Amino acid sequence: MPELPEVETIVRGLAGTIVGKQIERAVIRLAKIAIAPPGVAFSKALRGERITGTRRRGKYAIVDLVSGRSLVTGLRMTGRLVVQKPGEEDFPGTHVVLWFTDGSRLSFADLRTFGRMRLVEPAEVWDRDLGIEPFSSGFTPGAFMSMLAGRTTPIKALLLDQRRIAGIGNIYACEALWEARIRPSRPAKALTKPAIRRLHLAIVDVLQRAIALRGTSVDDYVDAAGLRGGFQNILSVYGRLGQPCVRCGSPVVRTVLGQRGTWWCRRCQR
DNA sequence: CTGAGATCCTGGGGGC
DNA sequence: TGCCCCCAGGATCTCA
């Protein structure tokens, strides 16, 4: 499932390949995937557009267009955003294809069809409900501390809440909590000041290390060039049920927290 | 405000 | 072996 590091990797890949290209036509194969503002026809609006840049917000990949409009893609669990050369075959579940004038194309594929590609107007505020970016200057230990203050919700559920911090998903929530030695079920308000500092550091650290390895491919994730990430090889707890904790040797356990699988170490996460 | 539960989908795993 | 059932999982919406 693409989280911040995966989307960052995708967006960086797109920056090097599609910026400057012109869209000849946009083909929608599954209507519900492509969303446009009222009165705007998705395909028609994209015809002739030029790509001016790519960026990321939370887990969303953004492709900026010369008109000032943007394409905002949420990949959810199985979404893929891949640039393909002429003659290359479609990925299974390809729902939207942007054909460029040079014969290459940007494809959005999603087997489970949970993802969406949204055309956004120049002045449209689409990210009102998204929280702070973990790499922004505003994400300080102090800001994180006040975010947790008074909250009874389990710390892991809070990390997954995109309205508070944008970009953390199940994999990196588990990994950051392990790195900070914090039990996922602890009420947010019960974290000590040193624990909050450790977790703040761990969040930034784990996301940065994952970006350096071009993301985690546990199932479907591939980058814009169709390549898998590398962070799955150094996961500490996620998906490692029964395997020894790499820090203390105690077997990794799996519990369910907020309807999500949660992997952690009983001995070193308190 | 906060949390719980349903919803959307499909591949793949488990059970028989 | 083969088939059927069931379920994970991110964001969003409804309901309590």
Side-chain angles (χ1 to χ4, degrees), chain A residues 17-34:
Chain A
T17 47
I18 66 166
V19 170
K21 292 192 180 187
Q22 189 174 23
I23 299 170
E24 191 168 271
R25 62 193 176 101
V27 178
I28 302 167
R29 299 192 190 142
L30 186 59
K32 69 168 187 179
I33 301 291

Side-chain angles (χ1 to χ4, degrees), chain A residues 120-136:
Chain A
V120 169
E121 296 287 17
E124 195 177 335
V125 182
W126 62 273
D127 66 343
R128 192 177 290 114
D129 294 333
L130 279 185
I132 195 165
E133 285 290 327
F135 297 145
S136 72

Side-chain angles (χ1 to χ4, degrees), chain A residues 156-197:
Chain A
K156 191 202 170 201
L158 188 141
L159 293 184
L160 292 176
D161 187 346
Q162 302 301 300
R163 294 168 303 180
R164 309 206 181 280
I165 305 172
I168 304 173
N170 208 21
I171 296 174
Y172 300 110
C174 290
E175 293 294 307
L177 286 164
W178 178 84
E179 193 168 312
R181 305 176 187 238
I182 295 164
R183 194 185 185 101
S185 60
R186 288 203 73 180
K189 67 175 187 181
L191 266 66
T192 63
K193 209 167 169 177
I196 294 172
R197 285 190 167 279

